[in-house]
Amino acid sequence: MMEFLEMGGYARYVWSSYAIVLVAIVLNIVWARRALKRAQAEARRRVTMRDAA
Amino acid sequence: MAWTWFHRLASPPYVYALAARLTPWFAWPAALLIVAGLYGGLVVAPPDYQQGEGYRILYVHVPSAWMSLMVYTTMAVAAGIGLIWRMKVAHAVAASCAALGATFTFCALVTGSLWGAPMWGTYWEWDPRLTFELVLLFQFLGYMGLRAAIEDVQRADRVSAVLAVVGIVNVPIIHYSVEWWNSLHQTASVMKLSKPSMPPEMLIPLLMTGLGFTLLFGALLLVRLRAEVLSRERAASWIREAVAGEAVRA
């Protein structure tokens, strides 16, 4: 296990690369979902406002 | 040959519903392929005869770089379709690409830098491949900045589309840069006409993460496209149905 984590002495480079890419993937998923949730909330507000008018 | 499919793709309510239906078909295979591919790359693939374990950065670097070019190409083609056929949905696709492209171009640059440090002895070199990839990052950021600076959506669509279409020249430059110039960066190992120069136990995890990233891009694009389409439709009555359906689910 330790040997695997050490990556033949390249641990620093290998694991930070993987960490950065995984963070980028997670952030993109969060951002995309948040954009959709916001657009839906905004659309719902427009519809309710028009119904009230 | 009927062109109805093309006309249907120009219809925001159809695209909104279609994107919602398609998203899981991209997202789940993407998750499986990325997890399996990274496991294969980290655990199953043998160490490289020159770079030892250090080469395993390949499995995140190459898919990120491949994705940066694919996202830009998608963005430019969608922008071009939007310009030629004045298709709102195509402009929405282009606008949805930019942030995704910027983050994966950033990933390709940073992981490349972290790979270069131990292997080339430098984090950065003004090498053609690296320099043009950095230019690509600025193209994505410039596109986003330009859109953000123009209030009127239709004008933002047209102006940014011109920028996106013109900028596509950089995509073949990046791809062929390692052949056209003497570069520190190695030449293609997979995307070439002859057989890939990698044993299958190294190549298969790479193809899995590559396909996984492609599908991930598809899934993220579909979610962003729905947000983009919804926010562009001010008056359309279909929005009432769309959000009414979602109110229950949310």
Side-chain angles (χ1 to χ4, degrees):
Chain A
M1 189 64 194
M2 270 322 280
E3 201 190 315
F4 173 69
L5 290 177
E6 277 165 17
M7 278 287 146
Y10 294 111
R12 205 147 66 96
Y13 305 105
V14 173
W15 294 121
S16 39
S17 294
Y18 276 71
I20 286 160
V21 173
L22 290 180
V23 167
I25 290 176
V26 170
L27 278 181
N28 269 297
I29 294 170
V30 171
W31 287 337
R33 292 176 70 124
R34 197 196 288 163
L36 181 58
K37 286 266 144 40
R38 274 202 194 134
Q40 285 169 344
E42 166 68 17
R44 212 170 290 137
R45 215 178 55 227
R46 286 204 303 270
V47 169
T48 359
M49 266 168 65
R50 206 175 318 132
D51 286 346
Chain B
M1 151 113 192
W3 277 83
T4 44
W5 62 271
F6 189 73
H7 289 292
R8 262 188 283 157
L9 283 181
S11 141
Y14 177 77
V15 167
Y16 185 84
L18 181 69
R21 264 208 318 279
L22 286 179
T23 306
W25 293 95
F26 282 81
W28 290 111
L32 285 176
L33 282 166
I34 292 171
V35 169
L38 292 185
Y39 175 81
L42 284 170
V43 181
V44 181
D48 183 64
Y49 79 103
Q50 277 183 326
Q51 303 192 357
E53 311 287 346
Y55 93 97
R56 296 188 196 278
I57 295 174
L58 171 93
Y59 297 102
V60 285
H61 173 72
V62 172
S64 302
W66 153 238
M67 190 138 144
S68 71
L69 296 181
M70 181 175 55
V71 176
Y72 195 90
T73 307
T74 308
M75 185 172 96
V77 169
I81 292 173
L83 276 182
I84 296 166
W85 285 289
R86 296 178 172 271
M87 196 169 157
K88 271 193 287 183
V89 173
H91 283 301
V93 170
S96 309
C97 284
L100 297 173
T103 36
F104 284 95
T105 309
F106 175 80
C107 285
L109 286 165
V110 174
T111 55
S113 179
L114 286 166
W115 198 356
M119 302 305 168
W120 298 341
T122 176
Y123 282 100
W124 184 259
E125 192 63 49
W126 292 103
D127 173 273
R129 169 64 65 92
L130 281 61
T131 308
F132 286 114
E133 184 75 12
L134 183 64
V135 170
L136 189 72
L137 177 63
F138 291 136
Q139 285 177 265
F140 279 120
L141 296 177
Y143 176 92
M144 288 162 74
L146 187 61
R147 289 201 67 95
I150 303 173
E151 194 135 349
D152 177 53
V153 177
Q154 293 192 345
R155 237 192 103 228
D157 280 344
R158 281 197 307 273
V159 176
S160 65
V162 173
L163 183 72
V165 169
V166 171
I168 190 111
V169 291
N170 196 18
V171 170
I173 292 179
I174 293 172
H175 184 75
Y176 291 109
S177 56
V178 287
E179 290 170 27
W180 291 345
W181 291 281
N182 280 317
S183 177
L184 264 180
H185 199 286
Q186 69 162 87
T187 52
S189 305
V190 181
M191 296 286 281
K192 58 179 191 181
L193 291 174
S194 52
K195 213 160 107 296
S197 44
M198 239 189 262
E201 60 274 33
M202 276 185 184
L203 180 64
I204 289 166
L206 181 60
L207 295 178
M208 287 170 87
T209 48
L211 183 60
F213 273 57
T214 309
L215 293 172
L216 173 72
F217 164 53
L220 291 170
L221 180 61
L222 288 169
V223 174
R224 281 185 172 271
L225 178 62
R226 284 167 73 205
E228 196 63 42
V229 164
L230 205 53
S231 64
R232 279 154 186 258
E233 293 296 316
R234 293 278 146 199
S237 57
W238 66 267
I239 286 181
R240 193 180 303 271
E241 284 169 50
V243 291
E246 255 123 25
V248 183
R249 236 182 299 152

